[in-house]
Amino acid sequence: MAHPHRLGRRPSGTRRRLGSTPLVCAVLALCLVSTGCAEYGDGTSMARDHAAAEAKRLDEELGHRDWVRDAEYIAATEVLDPPEDGTSKVRREPLAWSGRTFGDEQATIDVRFVVTVDEDPGGPFGNPGHSAGQATRCYRYLLKLGRNTSSEEIDCPSVRMPLVPVAKPYPAMPADARDRLAAALRTATPDTLAGAVRAAFPERHVTVDTTTHENALVAVLSVPPERQCLLLVRTPGGAIEAPAYDPIWLAPGETGCNTGLYVSPPR
C-alpha cells in the first residue's frame, strides 16, 4: 500500500489545524459588523475620563506664567468658559481664586469640570454604543511667575451657583504719555528734570526714572506689571529722541525699564 504522504494526503491533525484558520477569520469578521463582540460602554466612566482630559488641557493652556496677574483676572480671562449656544457637553466653572503671580507669591484657582455624555445605541462596524452619563471633577491650579502651572485633583465643594470672576482692567501707560514726557523734557533742566517728569505723570502706577548723561536729559516711564516702557532723551542740541533697545532687556533678571537702557545698555 502506498504511503499516505505519497498520495498527496496530509496527516489528519495537520488538516484540522490549518482548516480552522478560515473559521477564525469568519468569526472575527462577524464581530466587526455586529455589536455582540464588544462591551456596551459606561457613559459615566467616559464622562469622568473626559473631565480628566479637560483638566489636563486647561493645565497646558495656562502654561508658563510670564505676567503679573491676580487670580481673579486669570480665572475670568483664561479659565471661564466663553458663552456657548447651549449645546456644549463640557462645562468648566471657576469656583474659588486667591493670590497673584507676583514675585514669590502664588495664584490659586479651583475649577469644576462638568461633563455630560449622551447615550449612543451603537451600530454596525464594531460600534457597541454606550450609556448616557455625567461626571463632575474638581481641580486646583497653582500659578507662579516664571513657572509652569501645576494642578491636583480635589474634592468638589457643594457650590451650586459659583460666583463669576471679573477681569478688572490693569493700569496701563497713558495714551498721551509720549507727548507729555516730551513736553516735560523740553522745559526741564538737570536740576528740575525729576520733579518735572513726576509732575507730568501723577499716576501712581507709572514709575519714573531720570538722569543726566553726557549733557543729555534721560527720562524713562514704566508700568512694571505690563512691561510697558517709554524711553526719551533730550540731546545736548535740544532734540527729543527715542533710542532703540532690545525688548528682552525688560524681562525679569535683565536690565529692566530704567535709565540703564540708555546709560549702560547690555553689551
Side-chain angles (χ1 to χ4, degrees):
M1 179 180 294
H3 194 280
H5 285 201
R6 293 194 179 96
L7 294 178
R9 297 180 180 177
R10 297 178 182 271
S12 60
T14 303
R15 184 168 60 250
R16 287 197 299 271
R17 186 164 58 250
L18 295 178
S20 65
T21 302
L23 178 60
V24 172
C25 291
V27 172
L28 290 176
L30 181 61
C31 285
L32 292 176
V33 295
S34 69
T35 60
C37 294
E39 185 179 353
Y40 189 63
D42 178 10
T44 297
S45 179
M46 294 174 63
R48 284 187 56 80
D49 290 345
H50 197 173
E54 285 295 310
K56 182 178 180 180
R57 185 166 69 89
L58 178 58
D59 197 324
E60 295 170 351
E61 288 178 0
L62 293 173
H64 192 272
R65 307 311 301 180
D66 295 323
W67 299 91
V68 175
R69 289 290 185 267
D70 62 68
E72 183 174 14
Y73 186 95
I74 298 171
T77 59
E78 301 183 55
V79 176
L80 187 65
D81 270 335
E84 295 283 353
D85 59 7
T87 62
S88 176
K89 302 300 181 183
V90 180
R91 187 172 75 251
R92 63 189 190 196
E93 304 169 332
L95 298 178
W97 48 84
S98 63
R100 59 177 181 167
T101 56
F102 177 77
D104 292 331
E105 297 179 40
Q106 176 176 271
T108 302
I109 305 174
D110 292 348
V111 184
R112 179 168 62 195
F113 295 85
V114 182
V115 177
T116 301
V117 173
D118 290 335
E119 182 182 10
D120 181 356
F125 307 111
N127 176 17
H130 56 76
S131 64
Q134 186 181 63
T136 300
R137 303 180 74 165
C138 296
Y139 291 78
R140 175 165 294 160
Y141 293 84
L142 308 176
L143 309 93
K144 295 188 71 172
L145 189 64
R147 303 283 183 85
N148 288 324
T149 300
S150 62
S151 62
E152 60 182 357
E153 187 167 11
I154 61 174
D155 293 334
C156 286
S158 56
V159 178
R160 295 191 60 185
M161 297 293 291
L163 296 175
V164 178
V166 177
K168 300 175 183 176
Y170 268 73
M173 189 76 73
D176 62 346
R178 186 184 182 97
D179 291 340
R180 285 158 62 181
L181 183 56
L185 283 171
R186 289 191 184 96
T187 59
T189 67
D191 292 334
T192 65
L193 176 60
V197 174
R198 184 74 273 179
F201 292 90
E203 295 91 343
R204 297 182 60 183
H205 67 275
V206 178
T207 300
V208 171
D209 189 26
T210 61
T211 192
T212 301
H213 179 69
E214 297 179 350
N215 296 321
L217 302 185
V218 184
V220 176
L221 304 177
S222 67
V223 180
E226 302 304 295
R227 293 189 196 168
Q228 293 180 322
C229 186
L230 175 61
L231 165 64
L232 291 184
V233 175
R234 192 185 83 187
T235 67
I240 304 296
E241 298 180 351
Y245 57 84
D246 190 335
I248 199 170
W249 296 345
L250 304 180
E254 300 293 337
T255 300
C257 183
N258 52 57
T259 55
L261 292 172
Y262 179 78
V263 174
S264 54
R267 300 298 182 185

